[in-house]
Structures are given as C-alpha cells and as structure tokens.
Amino acid sequence: MRKVVTIAVAVAAVAAATVSGVSQARTVTAADTATPKQGIKWGECDKDVGDGLPLPEGMQCGTLKVPLDYQRPEGRMIDVAVSRLPSKNPEKRRGILLTNPGGPSPGLGYLAFLVTAKLPQAVLDSYDLVGFDPRGMGRSTPVKCDLTEEQQFFGNIPPYARNAADVAKRAEQSQQIAEQCAASDTAWMLPYVSAKNTARDMDSIRTALGEEKASFLGASWGTYLGSVYATMFPKRTDRVVLDSNLGPAGWDYESQRLWSQGMDDRFPDFAKYVAANHREYGLGRTAAQVKAKYLQLAARLDRTPVKGPDVVWDGALLRLITFGYTYGATQLATLAEVFKALEANQPPPPLPAGETAKATAAGVDNLISARYYMICNDSHWPTSLQSYQRNVAIDRIRHPLFGAAGANISPCAYWPKPVEEPVKVGDNGPSNVLMVQNLRDPATPLAGANELRKALGDRARMVTADQGGHGVYLLNKNQCANTAATSFLLTGRLPERDYHCSADATPR
C-alpha cells in the first residue's frame, strides 16, 4: 500500500477555483501584524531539504517564532521554517522575493527547484530568494490527523464516485477524517492554519528580514496565497508573479468541481499524442478513439479491477493517475504505458516516485493533514450530502472524464466553522500583479484564472500561453511567457494589456 500512497499523494498537490471575486478596500489592522520577538538565526540547511535536488551554494535555513493567533500576539507561539538564498550581487539587489510552490506543500526547498530550473541569473542577482514551510507543514510546527494508510490513499483528491452510494461511502470516510483531525494532539492549531494567517506569517518574515516591501513568486495554490497577501498588505507588496492560477476563493468546493473542466481542456493533448503513436500503444488512431478507450477502460476496471503486486487498479485509481499524469508533457508517455498495460489486462510497470517517495509515514500524514487544515479553514464548504450526490450525478454526465471525482465530498464538509472569515481578494492596491497561465491546465484551469483576473481588476495583467499542463514559468519552454515573468520581476513594468503567447512562443 505504501507505494500507492506515495503515488496518490504526489498527484494530490492540485487546486483550481472558479468563483466570483468581490472587490473590497482593506486596511491593515493591528491583528494582521506582529513584530517578531526575535530575528532568524541562519545556519546550514538539512541535506534532504531539496527533496533530492542539490542545494544551491549559499542557501541558508532558520526558524522564526510567530503568533499562533495574531489576534493575541502575546500568546502561544509556533515555528515557521524559513530558507534564504542571498543575492551575490549587492549592487543589483533590490529586495526579497518570497516564494511558494503551491500544494499547499512545504516550500523550504523550493529554492533548490528554482535554481535547478534555471531561474535567470538576473533574477538571482536582484533578489534574496526566500522559501518557507507554511504553518502546520514540514519543518514548521507540524499538524497531524493520525491518518491510516487507507485514509491517505487518495491524498486530498476525492475518489471518482460511480453513484450516490459511492458518495455516501466517501461521506462516512470524510466525517471520520474530520473527527480525527479535531481530536488529534495538534487540534489546538486547527483553527489557525489558514492562508490568512500564512500571509501574516509572510509579513512577519518580511519584518524579520528588515525589508519595507516583499515581492512574491507563487504557483498553483501559491497564487491564492499571493493574492491574499497582496490584498491584506497592498502597501507592503512589491512585485507579484502568479503562475497557474486559482480563482479568488482558492481551493474551495467550486474549484474541485472545476477539475472536470481542466481535464476536458487537457485530455485532448494526451489523446493526440497517443493517437500519433498508435503503433506503440494500440489505443486508437484518432483522439476521439483514444478518449473512448479511456472511458471504456475505466468502466471495465470498475467492474473487474486488475490486481498488481502493490495495488489493485480499479477505475477510480486509473482516473486519479490520468488526472495527475497530464500535468506535464514528459509524463504523457508514462501514462500511455499505463493505459497499454491495463488494456492488455496486465498491471502497469511501477510508476516513477512522486514528491513523497522518501517521506516517512508521519511525513505523509502531515502533508495530507495540513492540507485539510488549510483548505477547510479557507472557505465555506457545502454540508448537505444530497447536494454532493446531486452534483456528482450532474458532473458525471457533463464531464465524464473526471467530473464525478471533483464533485465528490471531502472532510471539509464536516469541518468546524472557521474562526475568521476568509480574505476576499480584490482590486484595492497598486498595479503590481502579473498572472501567467496555460490555456489547458488540468489542475488550475483557465476558467478559474479568468475569475481571479476579474477580481484583481486593474491591479493585474494576465499572459496566457497556448500549451497544456500545470505550470508555466520555467517549467515549459514558451519563451514568450517566460520572458514576460522575468521582465516583470526585473523591471516592475506590467504590460499595457493582457496578451496571449502562441504555441511557437510569439505574443499575439
């Protein structure tokens, strides 16, 4: 089971949203700020911080004490783990660039990824890069729900529901998880793990580093965190780049339902690849035939799963792996091999290890638990079982590829009411936000990005790229989109208007 758990968790770092943003003016209050009682004592980072990637020369790690509850800044404190890669060019340095990889996931080692992915030297010269593990995660004061391996199996993505009975079964499992989270040894943190408090932690990091303003680079769920920070602290926000965008409400129920649209947008790219390589895979000569094969195969596995040495491949697992393995172009061949093996009624070869391959059981529990803490506190989730059953039935028909997973119920339906209202991302503040977005992103679809663009108003510009997959900046080779992000980080000048980068990387 352990191998499958790591696979499932590896594809669970996704989010998307499609709800309308509400513009509102906001002033920073005393409850939003806290002067750190101490600075950050920097030292060497643990060797495994980079998750297998080499740590950049000069990278440092430390810990900052922050209030558990910013309403009571003199009360209980928790740790936030912070990393830094200082600029080696003092003459060109302009400030700090806070970063977040999305997920929500630990971000202490994200600096190693950015350097490995060839973040331009000019950006490295201009900023001290700063990473951190959001509160509750990783090397920050961690939370847990004491999840069993079975509870960890699908990570934070609900399984595909074939019928109302499947939704009811998932509801029982979800309620149990929510009760475990509320009864765990770390339940004292449960009300305070949120994007709102994480943004306050970011501002505490800025203060501890002695900076008047902070720039930000965030991807996926990190786009919501960056939007929250820019909304709460507009005068302290310098330049903000948001890559692969959630809607203005972050990872909420509507965003989960939007995964169905993301799969509808992205799957044709995979189907075209498989059809073009029919001799290799034998799954269809046209994209339409490949799509039909996927639906037939998933239905067959629902009836008769294929047993492998480590896992039973049923339709729900195939749909989950298909969703996760359409993130990047390099994963499409692996996904096609999965289809080919299962079509032959054989278990697929072992999949490449994911983000948690080396994680301990406690580490996997922390990752999944902390995501529940965060996303369930960040929005109001429906509580009616019948509404989930109704939406699953609708989305199974409208979006047969993945709709009955995105619309399924999660532990957030049984979560305690948040102690604070979530931040309403709006347009109050300077024009200093650049959004970059793929047209065909399965996890954070264009529809959600468009809603965030509306909510930010004249604060933002959006550059779209005619490509598929999850992630734009540094991950794909669209020179037009990459240049837009780099140029904004270096100059601070937003484009006069939104624009589109074609597949051959030319703007239009």
Side-chain angles (χ1 to χ4, degrees), residues 172-336:
E172 293 179 2
Q173 297 167 344
S174 295
Q175 185 171 8
Q176 177 62 39
I177 290 173
E179 290 174 355
Q180 287 175 212
C181 294
S184 76
D185 292 342
T186 61
W188 55 273
M189 286 185 64
L190 187 146
Y192 307 106
V193 177
S194 64
K196 195 171 189 176
N197 277 326
T198 303
R200 291 166 174 151
D201 294 342
M202 290 166 58
D203 206 55
S204 293
I205 294 171
R206 176 198 61 78
T207 301
L209 294 177
E211 300 288 335
E212 292 185 4
K213 292 185 176 183
S215 292
F216 180 82
L217 171 63
S220 193
W221 179 84
T223 64
Y224 176 61
L225 179 60
S227 300
V228 168
Y229 183 81
T231 299
M232 292 179 67
F233 305 102
K235 294 181 179 179
R236 300 174 190 172
T237 305
D238 192 5
R239 300 168 183 177
V240 178
V241 174
L242 307 179
D243 180 353
S244 305
N245 296 268
L246 290 164
W251 183 343
D252 64 350
Y253 180 56
E254 290 304 315
S255 79
Q256 286 198 171
R257 291 189 73 181
L258 198 61
W259 291 339
S260 59
Q261 182 61 57
M263 272 287 280
D264 289 351
D265 295 341
R266 175 59 168 161
F267 190 87
D269 292 336
F270 170 68
K272 289 175 185 176
Y273 166 80
V274 173
N277 293 276
H278 178 69
R279 285 189 178 183
E280 174 67 22
Y281 303 119
L283 296 168
R285 297 181 183 277
T286 67
Q289 290 174 349
V290 174
K291 179 180 178 180
K293 178 63 67 178
Y294 166 71
L295 296 173
Q296 294 167 6
L297 183 57
R300 193 191 85 195
L301 292 173
D302 283 336
R303 297 189 301 271
T304 310
V306 171
K307 295 182 179 180
D310 301 305
V311 62
V312 175
W313 284 84
D314 60 7
L317 181 56
L318 174 64
R319 293 177 176 101
L320 174 69
I321 296 301
T322 301
F323 178 58
Y325 273 68
T326 56
Y327 276 27
T330 59
Q331 298 173 305
L332 299 186
T334 300
L335 181 58

Side-chain angles (χ1 to χ4, degrees), residues 394-471:
I394 292 171
D395 288 3
R396 188 188 305 113
I397 295 172
R398 289 181 177 173
H399 306 282
L401 296 176
F402 202 63
N408 204 356
I409 196 168
S410 83
C412 295
Y414 302 97
W415 212 253
K417 184 178 179 180
V419 296
E420 286 190 287
E421 284 296 308
V423 171
K424 294 181 179 179
V425 173
D427 60 358
N428 179 57
S431 297
N432 61 352
V433 181
L434 180 71
M435 303 167 58
V436 290
Q437 177 72 33
N438 288 334
L439 292 186
R440 300 180 300 282
D441 186 325
T444 54
L446 178 63
N450 285 334
E451 291 299 324
L452 179 61
R453 177 68 184 87
K454 290 179 186 177
L456 290 172
D458 196 49
R459 291 202 68 179
R461 301 290 185 274
M462 184 162 71
V463 175
T464 52
D466 186 4
Q467 56 193 23
H470 188 48

Side-chain angles (χ1 to χ4, degrees), residues 363-375:
V364 176
D365 180 25
N366 170 245
L367 177 65
I368 299 174
S369 300
R371 286 178 180 168
Y372 285 136
Y373 274 54
M374 188 79 73
I375 65 177

